[in-house]
Amino acid sequence: MAIFSPLLDVLAEIPDPRRAEGKLYQLPYVLLFAILAIVSGCNSYRGIITFIDVHRHRLNAIFALKWRRAPAHTAIRYILQGLDPAAVEAVFRRHAALLQAARATPGQGSIALDGKTLRGSFDNFHDRAAAQVLSAFATDTALVLAHVEIAEKSNEIPAAQALLAELGVPAGAVVTLDALHCQKKPSRPLRRPTSP
């Protein structure tokens, strides 16, 4: 299907974590079908497999595939957990930039940066706090341009500055942030009030 060709092209750039032999299912299609499953409401490996299994004949016809069955949920888990997160983020940023360039009006638009705590990402057993992610959202095209994970011992402010530098925000673009970003460091140490 032509509408998915640009996305399949960029997904093909992601390094495959599997060995060279035994690749029954091509990585770009596995990733695309996982994305479609998640967008349609699936939230587990088994849900992704169920989506592929239910729609397998239609997916085979549309994408000229010959899948006899959906991959096992363990295979999907192995593939998705084996991906390099930096490579996946780079590919999605490139795809978002292509979509943004095709849809945006030059000289207009705004980017909203906002941080979120990922529900259920904390790990009490390993004493790990919940993961926080900062997202850049193009409001004129309704596209998420990038994500960056906020370091555990840090906050949104340095992450937002780094993300804006990486995105190369064009001149004239409006960037909106939370009030948290209005802080400034004092130029000198604060004096303690003296008691009378």
Side-chain angles (χ1 to χ4, degrees), residues 93 97 100 111 136 145-146 160-173 175:
R93 284 187 188 189
Q100 178 72 2
I111 298 174
L145 302 176
Q161 293 168 355
L163 184 57
L164 287 172
E166 290 172 15
L167 288 176
V169 178
V175 177

Side-chain angles (χ1 to χ4, degrees), residues 26 34 58 87 93 141 158:
Q26 296 173 338
R58 187 179 308 154
R93 284 187 188 189
T141 57

